[in-house]
Amino acid sequence: MPAPRTLAELEADVQRDLDLIAHPRMPWLQPKTCDGAPVLDALIVGGGQCGVVTAFALMRDKVRNLLVIDRAEEGREGPWLTYARMHNLRSWKDQSGPDLGVPSLTYQAWHEARYGRASWDLLRYIPKEYWNDYLLWLRRVIGVPVRNGVEAGRITPARTDDGLPCLRVETSAGPMLARKVVLATGQEDAGFWWMPDFVAALPPHLRAHAADPIYFDALRGKTVAVLGAGASAFDNAAMALEAGASDVHLFCRRAEPMVVQPYRWLTFAGFMRHLHEMPDEWRWRFMSYVLGLREGFPPDTYARVNRFPNFTMHVGRPWTDARVGPDGRALVATARGEVAADFLICGTGVKMDPARVPTLAGFADAIARWQDRYTPPAEEANARLGEFPYLAPDYSFMERVPGEAPWIRDIHLFGIGTTMSFGPAGASINAMGMAVPRLAAGVTRGLFETDLPAFYASLRAYDVKQVELDPARIAAE
């Protein structure tokens, strides 16, 4: 077996590989301005894995006038060091995606260079901290331009000085102008972290969402109640147990918990590459079934909580109400009586509502939703899923009423909100290798199409000679 490669050697391979596949190399976009201010060709909101890899794909297509912004500090983009409370990624270690087909950019190549081949051979799942480090390395070695500590806000239409449509994005660092905007903001791209209203009405010191910052050490000796039976609910229950909670109770509304992981089934090329091309009835049928099942919890996650004797799982017992008891604790009403707890955690996921998203709030009513485009059979009806945005084939927003806001077609969504239109394309590492090139192609198509007259004029003006003819060797009639 050859000696393990160093990270420096791997990075040299990366640069060679990228150079070998750099064709076509020609720059093709001309700088634009709006009232004299520079206009980006693409602004990507979100510096996690989806945002960085989208930038990578666009840079390979010679879209270099772009910027990625993220409200978090460097290294804390995405969930891996914040609300992701599992130990390891839930996918197998050999998954690929962010590499976009470049072998030297795969996680395995990075892991072997960083920790050695023996470490890779012993690895089963990828520790989340390792994955975060890998993404930061990927961003650096590719050269993706990222500005951290910048939060995006309201988006409005504008025009470049030569008359092309562009977008004005208000940010905490001042307004930014771009011809295309990609919202790669993960779980919160088109909605908000949801919990039942009666839980949200409780004082903040008594409850949290699984995505909130939680000081678990404060739960030592406390009784904790968790709502939900998905993987994140179990992760938060485990954190409370490991922090020394006296009792942790997890409540599942289903009589039988979800032990099948439907996302394992759909990880094949036909589904991930082509679902968005299928008729609406089939897209709805597949994704409403998958989302109706919810995400299953893996065996390692269950073993993590089940080793504690003070963990109890309650099935077929949804929460119906909650209030503050006379002793200041939370009292949760269930179908089988009240439960008292010192702290409540809701692993209840995300609810689609563009009006709650700062970047979308200004035109939320103009966004087409699935309920605006498709009416499922009664047995497949689901009001929650009908709220998902109904997206164009390039992940851009479509108008609810044609002609009402045509400019929103220059805003591309790439997060959990894509699920009903594309499957788990914007929230899946496994689908990234197929989904990101499709998104990048949609962005470049729009950049090309809107400037067709200028490209045609450029073609007509093109006069670079390949050879100088010798007049003495030309016989004229």
Side-chain angles (χ1 to χ4, degrees), residues 142-203:
I142 293 169
V144 175
V146 180
R147 284 186 63 183
N148 288 92
V150 179
E151 185 164 9
R154 183 183 178 90
I155 303 175
T156 52
R159 288 273 171 183
T160 64
D161 290 331
D162 59 354
L164 297 183
C166 68
L167 300 163
R168 176 187 172 99
V169 183
E170 306 299 331
T171 81
S172 57
M176 296 184 180
L177 297 158
R179 293 178 64 189
K180 288 284 189 176
V181 170
V182 177
L183 300 177
T185 45
Q187 299 284 332
E188 301 171 80
D189 63 344
F192 66 101
W193 295 109
W194 173 84
M195 65 176 71
D197 291 342
F198 53 78
V199 178
L202 295 174

Side-chain angles (χ1 to χ4, degrees), residues 369-394:
R369 298 163 298 175
W370 266 85
Q371 66 188 29
D372 300 319
R373 293 291 191 270
Y374 177 68
T375 302
E379 64 274 15
E380 296 178 8
N382 187 316
R384 179 176 67 89
L385 302 184
E387 296 288 346
F388 274 75
Y390 186 95
L391 300 171
D394 61 358

Side-chain angles (χ1 to χ4, degrees), residues 28-362:
W28 58 283
L29 291 165
Q30 296 299 314
K32 306 291 182 182
T33 58
C34 176
D35 295 330
V39 177
L40 295 162
D41 290 318
L43 176 66
I44 300 169
V45 181
Q49 60 188 22
C50 287
V52 166
V53 180
T54 297
F56 175 33
L58 289 171
M59 291 165 66
R60 287 178 64 175
D61 283 341
K62 304 303 178 286
V63 181
R64 298 282 178 173
N65 179 27
L66 58 76
L67 178 65
V68 179
I69 61 173
D70 197 288
R71 65 188 179 191
E73 61 185 272
E74 183 174 350
R76 296 184 69 83
E77 305 89 350
W80 311 115
L81 300 185
T82 53
Y83 63 85
R85 296 182 173 120
M86 68 283 209
H87 291 154
N88 305 310
L89 272 62
R90 309 198 197 283
S91 303
W92 296 111
K93 67 177 183 179
D94 62 353
Q95 66 185 343
S96 60
D99 52 87
L100 294 185
V102 181
S104 58
L105 285 173
T106 59
Y107 176 84
Q108 180 176 347
W110 174 83
H111 187 103
E112 290 181 355
R114 180 79 180 269
Y115 300 107
R117 178 58 186 264
S119 171
W120 170 258
D121 289 341
L122 291 171
L123 193 68
R124 185 184 177 204
Y125 292 109
I126 301 171
K128 62 175 183 174
E129 293 81 7
Y130 284 18
W131 185 255
N132 196 64
D133 289 346
Y134 161 69
L135 293 173
L136 291 171
W137 171 80
L138 186 79
R139 158 179 159 180
R140 175 179 63 79
V141 76
I142 293 169
V144 175
V146 180
R147 284 186 63 183
N148 288 92
V150 179
E151 185 164 9
R154 183 183 178 90
I155 303 175
T156 52
R159 288 273 171 183
T160 64
D161 290 331
D162 59 354
L164 297 183
C166 68
L167 300 163
R168 176 187 172 99
V169 183
E170 306 299 331
T171 81
S172 57
M176 296 184 180
L177 297 158
R179 293 178 64 189
K180 288 284 189 176
V181 170
V182 177
L183 300 177
T185 45
Q187 299 284 332
E188 301 171 80
D189 63 344
F192 66 101
W193 295 109
W194 173 84
M195 65 176 71
D197 291 342
F198 53 78
V199 178
L202 295 174
H205 71 275
L206 289 177
R207 46 80 179 166
H209 193 281
D212 290 334
I214 299 174
Y215 184 54
F216 284 94
D217 286 346
L219 303 181
R220 178 178 297 274
K222 305 291 187 181
T223 296
V224 178
V226 180
L227 178 61
S232 65
F234 275 94
D235 290 335
N236 279 266
M239 290 289 290
L241 290 162
E242 292 162 357
S246 61
D247 294 286
V248 174
H249 299 266
L250 185 142
F251 292 82
C252 174
R253 65 180 174 85
R254 297 175 182 272
E256 296 184 10
M258 184 67 190
V259 295
V260 174
Q261 174 51 290
Y263 290 99
R264 294 281 191 193
W265 177 87
L266 54 77
T267 308
F268 62 94
F271 189 93
M272 294 189 296
R273 191 184 298 280
H274 299 297
L275 178 69
H276 75 286
E277 299 170 334
M278 299 300 107
D280 286 352
E281 63 182 287
W282 280 108
R283 290 199 286 172
W284 179 275
R285 185 168 296 159
F286 274 108
M287 292 317 303
S288 65
Y289 178 77
V290 170
L291 295 176
L293 292 176
R294 312 293 289 181
E295 183 177 6
F297 50 91
D300 289 355
T301 300
Y302 184 60
R304 188 180 171 194
V305 297
N306 212 36
R307 67 187 180 90
F308 287 91
N310 53 334
F311 170 74
T312 304
M313 183 177 184
H314 303 263
V315 298
R317 199 174 181 185
W319 294 359
T320 58
D321 201 359
R323 61 188 177 89
V324 179
D327 58 357
R329 303 170 78 204
L331 285 175
V332 179
T334 78
R336 299 199 298 271
E338 281 192 327
V339 175
D342 299 293
F343 196 70
L344 309 180
I345 302 175
C346 292
T348 44
V350 173
K351 183 176 182 179
M352 294 295 112
D353 185 356
R356 296 280 294 268
V357 181
T359 50
L360 308 181

